[in-house]
Amino acid sequence: MTFYEISAKMLRVNFNRYRLYFFCNLFAVSLFECFASIFTNSSFMDGTKVNSLISSNIYFPSMLAALFLVLFLPVSCQAFFAARKQEYGILFSLGMSPKEAFRNMMLENMAIAGVALAAALAAGTVLSGFFFAVINYGIGIEGVQWQFCPASYKITVLLYLVVMAAAFLWNAVGTLREKIGTLLKAQYRCGKKSLTERILDRCRAGYVEKHLAEWSFVRRHNNAWRIRYGFGTIIIACAVTLASVCVTMYPVFLRDAENESPYDMAYSEIFGMNRASLQKVRDILAEHGVSVECVIQMPYLRDAAFNYLPVTKVNQYFGCEYQVEEGQFLNLFQFDLHDGYEHDTQPVSTVTIGGNQELHSVGSEVKILFNWNAAFADRTLIVSDLDFKKMEEDAQYVPGTANLFAFVEWRKSNEGVCAVQEYLQSRNQVDEAQEHYYKLSSKVDRYLEARKSGLFLNFLMAFVIGLMLMSEYLLIHFRIQAEQEENSRAVNSLQMIGMTEEEIVKCLRYKNRVRFLPPVIVGTMLAIFPSFYYNEVYGSGYLGSLVGILFGIIITIVEIIFVKRYSQKEFAGIRRLL
């Protein structure tokens, strides 16, 4: 019998190990491919079709999926090699050379990687189709459709091959460097008392000695389990933090949408566009059941960089008390500094008007006076009435009128706002490329976009959180499966000394609690501060921490219930091996 035939026989006998390794590869790669197919989709990332507030949400979960692939696959590869060390110890004892072993390992991994990659790309394609169905029909984001994006497949294949090549070389070389005796005894190593055992003994004298049967399953491979505990704790901490942020972010999105749009509808008459009588606009709104409470028509000037507002009109319309003399201006930043985004609030010190007259800054104000609109410049300056009149006579400044509407009930104004938009577009007669520039802005539209963005973010984050919880489970489960043969021998020994099946299942349950629960408990505790910190930016620090703790408690309860069934299934699998 050749080494190839022996390896093939090992493959058939220990197929379960290969199957687990294959599914870990499939799981990680298909998820990344799903996200890659979204952020490479031109229709979804087109700002004219999908609001950037929505499409930008894909970047963070995509980075998490990439990080998950980069970290999870090497750990899975290490567990696969660890489970096969004894097999290679046998092959080495039969005379297999390191060169033959390396070639055999490489062929096995190439076969698994090739099949897993092909299956993952197909699964990721199907999963991305499901994502786009949710985006279109569940969340209501229009104008996007699934596309075949070769770039997504190239990115996925490249990342997977690089990670797998590095993981394979690291583990293969490490396995080949170990001695035959070490490999043969790999599954029988029992570590010394761990830190946990010593703490338990000190807190409760003789605790470990009183639970020798239970700890006989726990005291093996301490180093390997420390790595998994570390990774599992980090994964749970990230999942709990994301869950707390998601729950608190959705109402923040809606709150910001209202705060950033103090008026219910706004459009600008500028460059000869959006010319319409106020009475006609009122009539259109009334036809759709929208009652207008008040209208403000504010004159302004703009150039390539700034909007210029007369101080008297600003004080009159918006209830301000700004003092700006001739030759001066006030920097106005219409931002909410507590919305979680970075804003440029660096004031301008001087501007030149009329070719040679300089205006000097008298300070800055951060306050949202009216809605953002595409026809406005990025920055706004409030000038004196005299300087505003001088600028009106200068051809380099474009005059405009900002029309600001307040409704009696803005939440029911969507149909009316859309009707006004259609009317203005019909009068403007501009091509699609210019329509966005003259489009009106409204509170209801901003609110609906914020709601879609929040729902989309929560959908993505729920998916990522589920991914993290599944990866933490696989991280532990994969190692337990690798130790199944070793545990079966321990079970056989316990049965020989008279332990019943119920007592053995109880020992397995104890062991599995030690494996599954510590990362959840410690991860939840570590997530309390990050949950507070990230939510404090939006004024929800304590609420975020409370949500994180509650989420961690729910996971812990679920795992306690789950461990009971898991232990019974594990014993059933061990019994089949006996």
Side-chain angles (χ1 to χ4, degrees), residues 202-264:
R202 288 193 177 186
C203 295
R204 186 176 171 186
Y207 177 84
V208 175
E209 281 72 10
K210 294 176 183 177
H211 295 80
L212 286 176
E214 292 90 339
W215 279 94
S216 65
F217 291 95
V218 177
R219 292 183 58 187
R220 299 181 176 90
H221 313 290
N222 285 336
N223 290 333
W225 279 107
R226 286 193 192 100
I227 295 173
R228 277 157 182 77
Y229 283 151
F231 273 111
T233 299
I234 294 172
I235 291 171
I236 293 296
C238 292
V240 171
T241 302
L242 288 178
S244 71
V245 172
C246 285
V247 171
T248 56
M249 277 290 288
Y250 183 72
V252 168
F253 278 3
L254 302 183
R255 181 198 68 193
D256 289 345
E258 294 186 46
N259 292 341
E260 292 170 6
S261 301
Y263 290 89
D264 303 326

Side-chain angles (χ1 to χ4, degrees), residues 215-459:
W215 279 94
S216 65
F217 291 95
V218 177
R219 292 183 58 187
R220 299 181 176 90
H221 313 290
N222 285 336
N223 290 333
W225 279 107
R226 286 193 192 100
I227 295 173
R228 277 157 182 77
Y229 283 151
F231 273 111
T233 299
I234 294 172
I235 291 171
I236 293 296
C238 292
V240 171
T241 302
L242 288 178
S244 71
V245 172
C246 285
V247 171
T248 56
M249 277 290 288
Y250 183 72
V252 168
F253 278 3
L254 302 183
R255 181 198 68 193
D256 289 345
E258 294 186 46
N259 292 341
E260 292 170 6
S261 301
Y263 290 89
D264 303 326
M265 188 177 76
Y267 64 89
S268 176
E269 294 182 37
I270 195 168
F271 300 114
M273 301 298 173
N274 288 339
R275 289 183 175 177
S277 67
L278 285 180
Q279 188 57 49
K280 178 62 176 178
V281 174
R282 284 175 177 269
D283 291 342
I284 294 173
L285 292 170
E287 290 174 6
H288 293 83
V290 180
S291 300
V292 178
E293 187 175 348
C294 70
V295 180
I296 291 175
Q297 289 188 298
M298 183 185 65
Y300 75 99
L301 301 172
R302 67 156 294 175
D303 56 18
F306 301 103
N307 305 304
Y308 300 91
L309 310 179
V311 65
T312 301
K313 294 294 184 182
V314 171
N315 290 338
Q316 175 186 345
Y317 292 142
F318 306 115
C320 302
E321 297 181 355
Y322 299 138
Q323 299 295 323
V324 181
E325 304 295 335
E326 185 178 4
Q328 299 176 339
F329 66 88
L330 178 71
N331 289 272
L332 176 65
F333 298 103
Q334 298 203 89
F335 302 134
D336 180 0
L337 297 182
H338 300 288
D339 61 4
Y341 295 96
E342 291 186 5
H343 298 290
D344 180 13
T345 55
Q346 183 65 36
V348 178
S349 57
T350 60
V351 294
T352 303
I353 64 172
N356 54 14
Q357 181 183 353
E358 282 194 348
L359 303 184
H360 299 276
S361 172
V362 292
S364 60
E365 173 78 357
V366 181
K367 186 177 182 180
I368 298 177
L369 299 182
F370 51 88
N371 305 33
W372 173 90
N373 189 271
F376 298 144
D378 292 334
R379 306 188 68 165
T380 300
L381 304 180
I382 299 175
V383 299
S384 69
D385 292 353
L386 291 175
D387 288 328
F388 188 82
K389 289 180 180 179
K390 293 177 185 177
M391 297 168 70
E392 282 183 312
E393 299 171 357
D394 193 332
Q396 70 173 336
Y397 300 104
V398 181
T401 302
N403 295 275
L404 310 174
F405 291 74
F407 302 146
V408 174
E409 178 53 70
W410 66 268
R411 294 180 185 275
K412 301 178 181 179
S413 64
N414 190 46
E415 290 185 6
V417 169
C418 291
V420 172
Q421 179 62 60
E422 291 176 3
Y423 174 74
L424 293 177
Q425 286 181 353
S426 66
R427 290 181 61 84
N428 292 338
Q429 295 294 317
V430 295
D431 56 32
E432 292 184 3
Q434 293 180 307
E435 280 183 0
H436 175 72
Y437 186 79
Y438 300 109
K439 186 177 180 181
L440 62 79
S441 57
S442 66
K443 181 179 291 187
V444 67
D445 184 59
R446 186 97 175 163
Y447 183 85
L448 292 175
E449 289 295 324
R451 187 169 67 179
K452 291 178 183 178
S453 178
L455 290 173
F456 182 62
L457 178 63
N458 283 349
F459 170 68

Side-chain angles (χ1 to χ4, degrees), residues 121-131:
L121 294 178
T125 302
V126 174
L127 194 58
S128 65
F130 165 73
F131 261 60

